[in-house]
Each structure stands twice: as C-alpha cells, then as structure tokens.
Amino acid sequence: MHLILLSLIGITVLTSLKGFNDISFFRKYEFHIGSIRAGEHIRMFSSAFLHADWGHLFFNMFTLYMFAPVVISYLDIFTFVVIYFGSLVFGSLLTLSFHKDDYNYRAIGASGAVTGVLYASILLNPDMSLYLFFIPIPIPAYLFGIGYLLYSIYGMKAKNDNIGHTAHFGGAIGGYLITILKQPDLLTENTFIVILLAIPIVILFVLAKTGKL
C-alpha cells in the first residue's frame, strides 16, 4: 500500500476523531452553505476530512483502501492524488450549485472524493466484479457505477435522507472527466463503457436543465 494513500487515510481518521470530540472544530470546518457564501471557502475542502460517526468514516476509508490501488496501478500515485482532490472539488462545487439558496444546508465526509476514485477505477478496469453484502453474486463494476449514480439522482429528487447524494454525483463526474483526460485512449479502447458510464451524468444535467431536480 502506497505511503501517500496511507497518509491520506491517516489524516482523515485523525481529523474526523478531532471532530467527534470537538463540536466547535466540527462546526468551523463542515460544509455549510451560509458560511461558504459568506467567504469561508476552506469549508469546501476541509469538510471532506470530517465524518458523522465511526460507520461513516469506516465505509469511506474502506472503499478508498479497496479502490485507490486500482487507480494507482493503472495510472500513478500523482494522478490518484489529482483524481481524489479533483473529485472532492467537483463534489463540493456541484453541491454548492444545487443548494446555493439553502443557507442552512450542511454536509461532511469524503464521499465525493472517494466516489470519484471508485468511478475512475471502474473506467480503468470495467471487467472487475464487486461483491455487495446484500447480493450473494458478483456485480460487474460498470453496472454498479451506473446503478449507484441513478440511485444518487433518486436521492437528490426525493430528499428523504441525510446522504450527500449531490457530492457523490459531483465526485463521480470529477473522477470520470479527470480519468479520461489522463487516459484519452479509453475513448477508443472502451468506448461502450465510457458511453454507458456517461448516461447517468447526462440524465442528471437534463433533469437539472428542465427543472425536475
């Protein structure tokens, strides 16, 4: 396991622990629309290092631990870092765009960045299979990626939970675009997969353009 990846996980764990035990620290660095629009842009970055609880933290870091090596092996450690933080920014920007008038909107977690890494790994190795706790058979990675983003669209429309679906989606867009920019031959070598993974992204922007989100 690469030292930079382990360091990223370690810093996130330590910062999240600080947030668990220090509510003023947590409130100061969480994603909060009102504060961001007042000029506290650091929150768009710092919120990715905070988590709601141990379960939230473990799920994000475990997913990162599992899929980051795929990106690193196909590309390199520098590109992995670019994808991680680029996806983080994409997730925050999309969240800000969709919730800019909800001054009380709050969010935390590395989900956007981690989803970007997950989506990048699916683009790079679409033939890999994923095993989910509630499904006893392997799921093709590209089907999981498409289903996950379609579920995120549903969550954005329904607004019936506390999950940051918009950040997940923004992160996936970031991971998708950065990976293709870095590896443009994917457009010719895996054209079908590239198009399939773009479908939920197109659906999102059509719904947003038509005012249905």
Short mmCIF file of all heavy atoms in Angstrom, two decimals, residues 121-185:
data_model
loop_
_atom_site.label_atom_id
_atom_site.label_comp_id
_atom_site.label_asym_id
_atom_site.label_seq_id
_atom_site.Cartn_x
_atom_site.Cartn_y
_atom_site.Cartn_z
N SER A 121 -11.74 3.98 -11.05
CA SER A 121 -11.30 2.58 -11.07
C SER A 121 -12.21 1.74 -11.97
O SER A 121 -11.75 0.82 -12.64
CB SER A 121 -11.27 2.01 -9.65
OG SER A 121 -12.57 1.87 -9.12
N ILE A 122 -13.50 2.06 -12.00
CA ILE A 122 -14.43 1.34 -12.87
C ILE A 122 -14.11 1.63 -14.34
O ILE A 122 -14.14 0.72 -15.18
CB ILE A 122 -15.89 1.71 -12.54
CG1 ILE A 122 -16.27 1.20 -11.15
CG2 ILE A 122 -16.85 1.16 -13.59
CD1 ILE A 122 -17.61 1.69 -10.65
N LEU A 123 -13.81 2.88 -14.65
CA LEU A 123 -13.43 3.23 -16.02
C LEU A 123 -12.17 2.48 -16.46
O LEU A 123 -12.08 1.99 -17.59
CB LEU A 123 -13.15 4.74 -16.11
CG LEU A 123 -14.27 5.67 -16.59
CD1 LEU A 123 -13.80 7.11 -16.51
CD2 LEU A 123 -14.70 5.32 -18.01
N LEU A 124 -11.21 2.41 -15.56
CA LEU A 124 -9.93 1.79 -15.88
C LEU A 124 -10.01 0.27 -15.94
O LEU A 124 -9.30 -0.37 -16.72
CB LEU A 124 -8.88 2.21 -14.84
CG LEU A 124 -8.51 3.70 -14.85
CD1 LEU A 124 -7.77 4.07 -13.57
CD2 LEU A 124 -7.66 4.04 -16.08
N ASN A 125 -10.88 -0.31 -15.12
CA ASN A 125 -10.99 -1.77 -15.08
C ASN A 125 -12.47 -2.17 -14.98
O ASN A 125 -12.93 -2.65 -13.94
CB ASN A 125 -10.20 -2.32 -13.89
CG ASN A 125 -10.15 -3.84 -13.88
OD1 ASN A 125 -10.53 -4.49 -14.85
ND2 ASN A 125 -9.68 -4.41 -12.79
N PRO A 126 -13.22 -1.96 -16.06
CA PRO A 126 -14.67 -2.21 -16.01
C PRO A 126 -15.04 -3.68 -15.85
O PRO A 126 -16.18 -4.00 -15.51
CB PRO A 126 -15.16 -1.67 -17.36
CG PRO A 126 -13.96 -1.74 -18.25
CD PRO A 126 -12.78 -1.46 -17.36
N ASP A 127 -14.08 -4.57 -16.10
CA ASP A 127 -14.36 -6.01 -16.01
C ASP A 127 -14.29 -6.55 -14.59
O ASP A 127 -14.66 -7.71 -14.34
CB ASP A 127 -13.38 -6.79 -16.88
CG ASP A 127 -13.58 -6.51 -18.37
OD1 ASP A 127 -14.74 -6.25 -18.76
OD2 ASP A 127 -12.59 -6.53 -19.11
N MET A 128 -13.81 -5.74 -13.65
CA MET A 128 -13.73 -6.24 -12.28
C MET A 128 -15.14 -6.39 -11.70
O MET A 128 -16.08 -5.73 -12.14
CB MET A 128 -12.88 -5.32 -11.40
CG MET A 128 -13.44 -3.94 -11.16
SD MET A 128 -12.32 -2.94 -10.11
CE MET A 128 -13.18 -1.35 -10.15
N SER A 129 -15.26 -7.28 -10.74
CA SER A 129 -16.56 -7.53 -10.11
C SER A 129 -16.56 -7.03 -8.67
O SER A 129 -15.53 -7.05 -8.00
CB SER A 129 -16.88 -9.03 -10.14
OG SER A 129 -17.01 -9.48 -11.46
N LEU A 130 -17.72 -6.58 -8.23
CA LEU A 130 -17.87 -6.10 -6.86
C LEU A 130 -18.82 -7.03 -6.12
O LEU A 130 -19.80 -7.53 -6.69
CB LEU A 130 -18.44 -4.67 -6.86
CG LEU A 130 -17.68 -3.63 -7.69
CD1 LEU A 130 -18.39 -2.29 -7.61
CD2 LEU A 130 -16.25 -3.50 -7.22
N TYR A 131 -18.54 -7.24 -4.86
CA TYR A 131 -19.41 -8.06 -4.01
C TYR A 131 -20.07 -7.16 -2.97
O TYR A 131 -19.40 -6.47 -2.23
CB TYR A 131 -18.62 -9.17 -3.31
CG TYR A 131 -18.15 -10.25 -4.25
CD1 TYR A 131 -16.96 -10.11 -4.96
CD2 TYR A 131 -18.91 -11.41 -4.43
CE1 TYR A 131 -16.53 -11.10 -5.84
CE2 TYR A 131 -18.49 -12.41 -5.30
CZ TYR A 131 -17.30 -12.24 -6.00
OH TYR A 131 -16.88 -13.22 -6.87
N LEU A 132 -21.40 -7.14 -2.97
CA LEU A 132 -22.16 -6.34 -2.02
C LEU A 132 -22.73 -7.25 -0.95
O LEU A 132 -23.09 -8.40 -1.21
CB LEU A 132 -23.28 -5.58 -2.73
CG LEU A 132 -22.83 -4.70 -3.91
CD1 LEU A 132 -24.04 -4.03 -4.55
CD2 LEU A 132 -21.83 -3.66 -3.45
N PHE A 133 -22.83 -6.71 0.26
CA PHE A 133 -23.26 -7.51 1.41
C PHE A 133 -24.61 -8.18 1.20
O PHE A 133 -24.83 -9.30 1.61
CB PHE A 133 -23.32 -6.64 2.67
CG PHE A 133 -21.97 -6.14 3.11
CD1 PHE A 133 -21.69 -4.79 3.11
CD2 PHE A 133 -20.99 -7.02 3.53
CE1 PHE A 133 -20.44 -4.32 3.51
CE2 PHE A 133 -19.74 -6.57 3.93
CZ PHE A 133 -19.47 -5.22 3.93
N PHE A 134 -25.54 -7.46 0.54
CA PHE A 134 -26.91 -7.96 0.43
C PHE A 134 -27.17 -8.70 -0.88
O PHE A 134 -28.28 -9.15 -1.13
CB PHE A 134 -27.90 -6.80 0.58
CG PHE A 134 -27.57 -5.61 -0.30
CD1 PHE A 134 -28.05 -5.53 -1.59
CD2 PHE A 134 -26.76 -4.59 0.20
CE1 PHE A 134 -27.74 -4.45 -2.39
CE2 PHE A 134 -26.45 -3.50 -0.60
CZ PHE A 134 -26.94 -3.44 -1.90
N ILE A 135 -26.15 -8.83 -1.76
CA ILE A 135 -26.31 -9.58 -3.01
C ILE A 135 -25.23 -10.66 -3.05
O ILE A 135 -24.04 -10.34 -3.08
CB ILE A 135 -26.19 -8.65 -4.24
CG1 ILE A 135 -27.27 -7.55 -4.18
CG2 ILE A 135 -26.33 -9.46 -5.53
CD1 ILE A 135 -27.20 -6.56 -5.32
N PRO A 136 -25.61 -11.93 -3.07
CA PRO A 136 -24.63 -13.02 -2.93
C PRO A 136 -23.85 -13.35 -4.20
O PRO A 136 -23.08 -14.31 -4.22
CB PRO A 136 -25.51 -14.20 -2.51
CG PRO A 136 -26.83 -13.91 -3.15
CD PRO A 136 -27.00 -12.41 -3.10
N ILE A 137 -24.05 -12.59 -5.28
CA ILE A 137 -23.33 -12.85 -6.53
C ILE A 137 -22.52 -11.62 -6.94
O ILE A 137 -22.86 -10.49 -6.56
CB ILE A 137 -24.30 -13.24 -7.67
CG1 ILE A 137 -25.32 -12.11 -7.90
CG2 ILE A 137 -24.99 -14.55 -7.36
CD1 ILE A 137 -26.23 -12.36 -9.10
N PRO A 138 -21.41 -11.82 -7.68
CA PRO A 138 -20.60 -10.67 -8.09
C PRO A 138 -21.35 -9.76 -9.06
O PRO A 138 -22.08 -10.23 -9.93
CB PRO A 138 -19.39 -11.32 -8.76
CG PRO A 138 -19.86 -12.67 -9.18
CD PRO A 138 -20.84 -13.10 -8.15
N ILE A 139 -21.17 -8.45 -8.90
CA ILE A 139 -21.81 -7.46 -9.75
C ILE A 139 -20.74 -6.83 -10.64
O ILE A 139 -19.72 -6.35 -10.12
CB ILE A 139 -22.49 -6.35 -8.91
CG1 ILE A 139 -23.47 -6.97 -7.91
CG2 ILE A 139 -23.18 -5.33 -9.81
CD1 ILE A 139 -24.63 -7.67 -8.53
N PRO A 140 -20.92 -6.80 -11.97
CA PRO A 140 -19.95 -6.10 -12.82
C PRO A 140 -19.79 -4.65 -12.38
O PRO A 140 -20.78 -3.97 -12.10
CB PRO A 140 -20.58 -6.19 -14.22
CG PRO A 140 -21.47 -7.40 -14.16
CD PRO A 140 -22.01 -7.41 -12.75
N ALA A 141 -18.57 -4.18 -12.32
CA ALA A 141 -18.28 -2.86 -11.77
C ALA A 141 -19.03 -1.76 -12.51
O ALA A 141 -19.55 -0.82 -11.88
CB ALA A 141 -16.78 -2.60 -11.81
N TYR A 142 -19.13 -1.86 -13.83
CA TYR A 142 -19.77 -0.78 -14.58
C TYR A 142 -21.28 -0.71 -14.30
O TYR A 142 -21.86 0.38 -14.25
CB TYR A 142 -19.51 -0.91 -16.08
CG TYR A 142 -20.11 -2.12 -16.75
CD1 TYR A 142 -21.39 -2.08 -17.30
CD2 TYR A 142 -19.39 -3.31 -16.84
CE1 TYR A 142 -21.95 -3.19 -17.91
CE2 TYR A 142 -19.94 -4.43 -17.45
CZ TYR A 142 -21.22 -4.36 -17.98
OH TYR A 142 -21.76 -5.46 -18.59
N LEU A 143 -21.91 -1.87 -14.06
CA LEU A 143 -23.33 -1.86 -13.70
C LEU A 143 -23.53 -1.24 -12.33
O LEU A 143 -24.49 -0.49 -12.10
CB LEU A 143 -23.89 -3.29 -13.72
CG LEU A 143 -24.08 -3.94 -15.09
CD1 LEU A 143 -24.67 -5.33 -14.93
CD2 LEU A 143 -24.97 -3.08 -15.97
N PHE A 144 -22.61 -1.53 -11.41
CA PHE A 144 -22.69 -0.92 -10.08
C PHE A 144 -22.56 0.59 -10.19
O PHE A 144 -23.30 1.34 -9.55
CB PHE A 144 -21.60 -1.48 -9.18
CG PHE A 144 -21.52 -0.78 -7.84
CD1 PHE A 144 -22.39 -1.11 -6.82
CD2 PHE A 144 -20.59 0.24 -7.62
CE1 PHE A 144 -22.34 -0.45 -5.59
CE2 PHE A 144 -20.52 0.90 -6.41
CZ PHE A 144 -21.40 0.55 -5.39
N GLY A 145 -21.60 1.06 -10.99
CA GLY A 145 -21.37 2.50 -11.15
C GLY A 145 -22.59 3.21 -11.69
O GLY A 145 -23.00 4.27 -11.17
N ILE A 146 -23.21 2.64 -12.72
CA ILE A 146 -24.41 3.23 -13.30
C ILE A 146 -25.56 3.23 -12.29
O ILE A 146 -26.24 4.24 -12.08
CB ILE A 146 -24.82 2.47 -14.57
CG1 ILE A 146 -23.76 2.67 -15.66
CG2 ILE A 146 -26.18 2.93 -15.08
CD1 ILE A 146 -23.91 1.72 -16.83
N GLY A 147 -25.76 2.09 -11.64
CA GLY A 147 -26.84 1.98 -10.66
C GLY A 147 -26.65 2.94 -9.49
O GLY A 147 -27.62 3.53 -9.00
N TYR A 148 -25.41 3.09 -9.07
CA TYR A 148 -25.12 3.98 -7.94
C TYR A 148 -25.47 5.42 -8.26
O TYR A 148 -26.08 6.13 -7.45
CB TYR A 148 -23.64 3.86 -7.58
CG TYR A 148 -23.23 4.64 -6.35
CD1 TYR A 148 -23.53 4.16 -5.08
CD2 TYR A 148 -22.55 5.86 -6.45
CE1 TYR A 148 -23.17 4.86 -3.95
CE2 TYR A 148 -22.19 6.56 -5.32
CZ TYR A 148 -22.49 6.07 -4.08
OH TYR A 148 -22.14 6.77 -2.96
N LEU A 149 -25.14 5.87 -9.46
CA LEU A 149 -25.45 7.26 -9.83
C LEU A 149 -26.94 7.46 -10.08
O LEU A 149 -27.49 8.52 -9.76
CB LEU A 149 -24.64 7.68 -11.06
CG LEU A 149 -23.14 7.88 -10.84
CD1 LEU A 149 -22.54 8.68 -11.99
CD2 LEU A 149 -22.83 8.58 -9.53
N LEU A 150 -27.60 6.45 -10.63
CA LEU A 150 -29.05 6.57 -10.79
C LEU A 150 -29.73 6.65 -9.43
O LEU A 150 -30.69 7.42 -9.24
CB LEU A 150 -29.59 5.38 -11.59
CG LEU A 150 -29.19 5.33 -13.07
CD1 LEU A 150 -29.71 4.05 -13.72
CD2 LEU A 150 -29.71 6.56 -13.82
N TYR A 151 -29.23 5.88 -8.46
CA TYR A 151 -29.76 5.97 -7.10
C TYR A 151 -29.48 7.35 -6.51
O TYR A 151 -30.32 7.90 -5.79
CB TYR A 151 -29.13 4.89 -6.22
CG TYR A 151 -29.46 5.07 -4.75
CD1 TYR A 151 -30.74 4.84 -4.27
CD2 TYR A 151 -28.48 5.50 -3.85
CE1 TYR A 151 -31.05 5.02 -2.93
CE2 TYR A 151 -28.77 5.69 -2.51
CZ TYR A 151 -30.07 5.45 -2.06
OH TYR A 151 -30.36 5.65 -0.73
N SER A 152 -28.32 7.92 -6.82
CA SER A 152 -27.98 9.25 -6.33
C SER A 152 -28.95 10.29 -6.88
O SER A 152 -29.37 11.22 -6.18
CB SER A 152 -26.54 9.62 -6.70
OG SER A 152 -25.62 8.79 -6.03
N ILE A 153 -29.33 10.15 -8.16
CA ILE A 153 -30.32 11.05 -8.75
C ILE A 153 -31.65 10.93 -8.01
O ILE A 153 -32.30 11.92 -7.67
CB ILE A 153 -30.51 10.76 -10.26
CG1 ILE A 153 -29.25 11.14 -11.04
CG2 ILE A 153 -31.71 11.53 -10.80
CD1 ILE A 153 -29.31 10.78 -12.52
N TYR A 154 -32.04 9.68 -7.75
CA TYR A 154 -33.28 9.46 -6.98
C TYR A 154 -33.20 10.13 -5.62
O TYR A 154 -34.14 10.81 -5.17
CB TYR A 154 -33.53 7.96 -6.82
CG TYR A 154 -34.58 7.65 -5.77
CD1 TYR A 154 -35.94 7.81 -6.06
CD2 TYR A 154 -34.22 7.24 -4.49
CE1 TYR A 154 -36.90 7.56 -5.10
CE2 TYR A 154 -35.17 6.98 -3.53
CZ TYR A 154 -36.51 7.14 -3.83
OH TYR A 154 -37.45 6.92 -2.87
N GLY A 155 -32.06 9.96 -4.94
CA GLY A 155 -31.89 10.57 -3.62
C GLY A 155 -31.93 12.09 -3.67
O GLY A 155 -32.49 12.74 -2.78
N MET A 156 -31.37 12.67 -4.74
CA MET A 156 -31.40 14.13 -4.89
C MET A 156 -32.83 14.62 -5.10
O MET A 156 -33.20 15.69 -4.62
CB MET A 156 -30.51 14.54 -6.08
CG MET A 156 -29.02 14.33 -5.82
SD MET A 156 -28.02 14.41 -7.33
CE MET A 156 -28.20 16.15 -7.74
N LYS A 157 -33.63 13.85 -5.82
CA LYS A 157 -35.03 14.23 -6.06
C LYS A 157 -35.88 14.01 -4.83
O LYS A 157 -36.72 14.85 -4.48
CB LYS A 157 -35.60 13.43 -7.24
CG LYS A 157 -35.11 13.89 -8.61
CD LYS A 157 -35.66 13.01 -9.71
CE LYS A 157 -37.17 13.08 -9.82
NZ LYS A 157 -37.65 14.42 -10.23
N ALA A 158 -35.69 12.88 -4.17
CA ALA A 158 -36.55 12.52 -3.04
C ALA A 158 -36.28 13.35 -1.80
O ALA A 158 -37.20 13.68 -1.04
CB ALA A 158 -36.38 11.03 -2.72
N LYS A 159 -35.00 13.67 -1.55
CA LYS A 159 -34.61 14.46 -0.37
C LYS A 159 -35.19 13.87 0.92
O LYS A 159 -35.68 14.58 1.79
CB LYS A 159 -35.07 15.92 -0.51
CG LYS A 159 -34.46 16.67 -1.68
CD LYS A 159 -34.94 18.12 -1.69
CE LYS A 159 -34.26 18.93 -2.78
NZ LYS A 159 -34.70 18.56 -4.13
N ASN A 160 -35.12 12.54 1.04
CA ASN A 160 -35.72 11.88 2.21
C ASN A 160 -34.69 11.22 3.12
O ASN A 160 -35.01 10.35 3.91
CB ASN A 160 -36.76 10.86 1.77
CG ASN A 160 -36.18 9.79 0.84
OD1 ASN A 160 -34.97 9.78 0.58
ND2 ASN A 160 -37.03 8.90 0.36
N ASP A 161 -33.39 11.61 2.97
CA ASP A 161 -32.37 11.08 3.87
C ASP A 161 -31.29 12.13 4.07
O ASP A 161 -31.38 13.24 3.53
CB ASP A 161 -31.77 9.77 3.33
CG ASP A 161 -31.19 9.92 1.92
OD1 ASP A 161 -30.59 10.98 1.63
OD2 ASP A 161 -31.30 8.98 1.12
N ASN A 162 -30.28 11.80 4.87
CA ASN A 162 -29.21 12.75 5.17
C ASN A 162 -27.93 12.46 4.38
O ASN A 162 -26.85 12.92 4.74
CB ASN A 162 -28.90 12.73 6.67
CG ASN A 162 -30.06 13.26 7.49
OD1 ASN A 162 -30.69 14.24 7.12
ND2 ASN A 162 -30.36 12.59 8.59
N ILE A 163 -28.06 11.68 3.31
CA ILE A 163 -26.89 11.33 2.49
C ILE A 163 -26.59 12.45 1.50
O ILE A 163 -27.52 13.01 0.89
CB ILE A 163 -27.15 10.01 1.75
CG1 ILE A 163 -27.39 8.87 2.76
CG2 ILE A 163 -25.98 9.67 0.83
CD1 ILE A 163 -27.82 7.57 2.13
N GLY A 164 -25.31 12.77 1.33
CA GLY A 164 -24.91 13.83 0.40
C GLY A 164 -24.85 13.33 -1.03
O GLY A 164 -23.77 13.24 -1.64
N HIS A 165 -26.01 13.01 -1.61
CA HIS A 165 -26.05 12.44 -2.96
C HIS A 165 -25.42 13.36 -3.99
O HIS A 165 -24.78 12.90 -4.94
CB HIS A 165 -27.50 12.14 -3.35
CG HIS A 165 -28.17 11.12 -2.49
ND1 HIS A 165 -27.85 9.77 -2.55
CD2 HIS A 165 -29.12 11.24 -1.53
CE1 HIS A 165 -28.60 9.10 -1.69
NE2 HIS A 165 -29.38 9.97 -1.06
N THR A 166 -25.60 14.67 -3.82
CA THR A 166 -25.06 15.61 -4.80
C THR A 166 -23.53 15.57 -4.81
O THR A 166 -22.91 15.61 -5.88
CB THR A 166 -25.53 17.04 -4.49
OG1 THR A 166 -26.93 17.03 -4.20
CG2 THR A 166 -25.28 17.96 -5.67
N ALA A 167 -22.93 15.47 -3.64
CA ALA A 167 -21.46 15.37 -3.55
C ALA A 167 -20.97 14.08 -4.19
O ALA A 167 -19.94 14.06 -4.87
CB ALA A 167 -21.01 15.45 -2.10
N HIS A 168 -21.71 12.98 -3.97
CA HIS A 168 -21.34 11.70 -4.59
C HIS A 168 -21.33 11.85 -6.11
O HIS A 168 -20.38 11.42 -6.79
CB HIS A 168 -22.35 10.61 -4.22
CG HIS A 168 -22.36 10.27 -2.76
ND1 HIS A 168 -23.21 9.32 -2.24
CD2 HIS A 168 -21.63 10.73 -1.72
CE1 HIS A 168 -23.01 9.22 -0.93
NE2 HIS A 168 -22.05 10.07 -0.61
N PHE A 169 -22.38 12.46 -6.62
CA PHE A 169 -22.52 12.60 -8.07
C PHE A 169 -21.42 13.52 -8.62
O PHE A 169 -20.80 13.21 -9.65
CB PHE A 169 -23.90 13.16 -8.41
CG PHE A 169 -24.41 12.68 -9.73
CD1 PHE A 169 -25.44 11.76 -9.80
CD2 PHE A 169 -23.85 13.12 -10.92
CE1 PHE A 169 -25.91 11.30 -11.02
CE2 PHE A 169 -24.30 12.67 -12.14
CZ PHE A 169 -25.34 11.76 -12.20
N GLY A 170 -21.19 14.64 -7.95
CA GLY A 170 -20.14 15.55 -8.40
C GLY A 170 -18.78 14.88 -8.38
O GLY A 170 -17.96 15.06 -9.29
N GLY A 171 -18.53 14.08 -7.35
CA GLY A 171 -17.26 13.36 -7.27
C GLY A 171 -17.11 12.38 -8.42
O GLY A 171 -16.03 12.25 -9.01
N ALA A 172 -18.19 11.67 -8.75
CA ALA A 172 -18.15 10.72 -9.86
C ALA A 172 -17.85 11.44 -11.17
O ALA A 172 -17.07 10.94 -12.00
CB ALA A 172 -19.47 9.96 -9.96
N ILE A 173 -18.45 12.60 -11.38
CA ILE A 173 -18.19 13.38 -12.59
C ILE A 173 -16.71 13.77 -12.63
O ILE A 173 -16.06 13.67 -13.68
CB ILE A 173 -19.08 14.64 -12.63
CG1 ILE A 173 -20.54 14.26 -12.79
CG2 ILE A 173 -18.64 15.57 -13.78
CD1 ILE A 173 -21.51 15.42 -12.66
N GLY A 174 -16.18 14.21 -11.50
CA GLY A 174 -14.77 14.57 -11.44
C GLY A 174 -13.86 13.41 -11.77
O GLY A 174 -12.93 13.53 -12.58
N GLY A 175 -14.13 12.25 -11.15
CA GLY A 175 -13.32 11.07 -11.42
C GLY A 175 -13.40 10.64 -12.87
O GLY A 175 -12.40 10.25 -13.48
N TYR A 176 -14.59 10.73 -13.44
CA TYR A 176 -14.83 10.36 -14.84
C TYR A 176 -14.03 11.26 -15.78
O TYR A 176 -13.27 10.78 -16.64
CB TYR A 176 -16.33 10.47 -15.12
CG TYR A 176 -16.77 10.14 -16.52
CD1 TYR A 176 -17.10 8.83 -16.87
CD2 TYR A 176 -16.89 11.13 -17.49
CE1 TYR A 176 -17.53 8.52 -18.15
CE2 TYR A 176 -17.32 10.84 -18.77
CZ TYR A 176 -17.64 9.53 -19.09
OH TYR A 176 -18.07 9.23 -20.37
N LEU A 177 -14.17 12.57 -15.62
CA LEU A 177 -13.52 13.52 -16.53
C LEU A 177 -12.00 13.50 -16.41
O LEU A 177 -11.29 13.50 -17.42
CB LEU A 177 -14.05 14.93 -16.28
CG LEU A 177 -15.53 15.18 -16.62
CD1 LEU A 177 -15.93 16.60 -16.25
CD2 LEU A 177 -15.78 14.92 -18.10
N ILE A 178 -11.51 13.50 -15.18
CA ILE A 178 -10.05 13.53 -14.98
C ILE A 178 -9.40 12.26 -15.52
O ILE A 178 -8.33 12.31 -16.15
CB ILE A 178 -9.71 13.74 -13.50
CG1 ILE A 178 -10.22 15.09 -13.01
CG2 ILE A 178 -8.19 13.65 -13.28
CD1 ILE A 178 -10.16 15.27 -11.50
N THR A 179 -10.06 11.13 -15.32
CA THR A 179 -9.50 9.86 -15.81
C THR A 179 -9.43 9.85 -17.33
O THR A 179 -8.43 9.42 -17.91
CB THR A 179 -10.35 8.67 -15.32
OG1 THR A 179 -10.39 8.69 -13.88
CG2 THR A 179 -9.77 7.35 -15.78
N ILE A 180 -10.48 10.33 -17.99
CA ILE A 180 -10.47 10.37 -19.45
C ILE A 180 -9.44 11.37 -19.97
O ILE A 180 -8.75 11.11 -20.97
CB ILE A 180 -11.88 10.69 -19.99
CG1 ILE A 180 -12.81 9.50 -19.73
CG2 ILE A 180 -11.84 11.02 -21.48
CD1 ILE A 180 -14.24 9.72 -20.13
N LEU A 181 -9.30 12.50 -19.30
CA LEU A 181 -8.27 13.47 -19.70
C LEU A 181 -6.88 12.87 -19.58
O LEU A 181 -6.00 13.13 -20.42
CB LEU A 181 -8.38 14.74 -18.86
CG LEU A 181 -9.55 15.66 -19.17
CD1 LEU A 181 -9.64 16.78 -18.13
CD2 LEU A 181 -9.40 16.27 -20.57
N LYS A 182 -6.67 12.10 -18.53
CA LYS A 182 -5.37 11.48 -18.30
C LYS A 182 -5.15 10.29 -19.24
O LYS A 182 -4.03 10.01 -19.69
CB LYS A 182 -5.26 11.03 -16.84
CG LYS A 182 -3.99 10.25 -16.50
CD LYS A 182 -2.74 11.10 -16.65
CE LYS A 182 -1.50 10.30 -16.25
NZ LYS A 182 -0.26 11.08 -16.41
N GLN A 183 -6.23 9.57 -19.55
CA GLN A 183 -6.13 8.35 -20.34
C GLN A 183 -7.12 8.43 -21.51
O GLN A 183 -8.11 7.69 -21.57
CB GLN A 183 -6.45 7.14 -19.46
CG GLN A 183 -5.93 5.82 -19.96
CD GLN A 183 -4.49 5.57 -19.57
OE1 GLN A 183 -3.85 6.45 -19.02
NE2 GLN A 183 -3.98 4.39 -19.86
N PRO A 184 -6.89 9.33 -22.48
CA PRO A 184 -7.86 9.54 -23.56
C PRO A 184 -8.07 8.32 -24.46
O PRO A 184 -9.10 8.23 -25.14
CB PRO A 184 -7.25 10.71 -24.36
CG PRO A 184 -5.80 10.71 -24.00
CD PRO A 184 -5.73 10.23 -22.59
N ASP A 185 -7.14 7.38 -24.45
CA ASP A 185 -7.33 6.18 -25.27
C ASP A 185 -8.48 5.32 -24.79
O ASP A 185 -8.94 4.42 -25.50
CB ASP A 185 -6.04 5.36 -25.34
CG ASP A 185 -5.50 4.95 -23.98
OD1 ASP A 185 -5.92 5.56 -22.98
OD2 ASP A 185 -4.66 4.04 -23.93
#
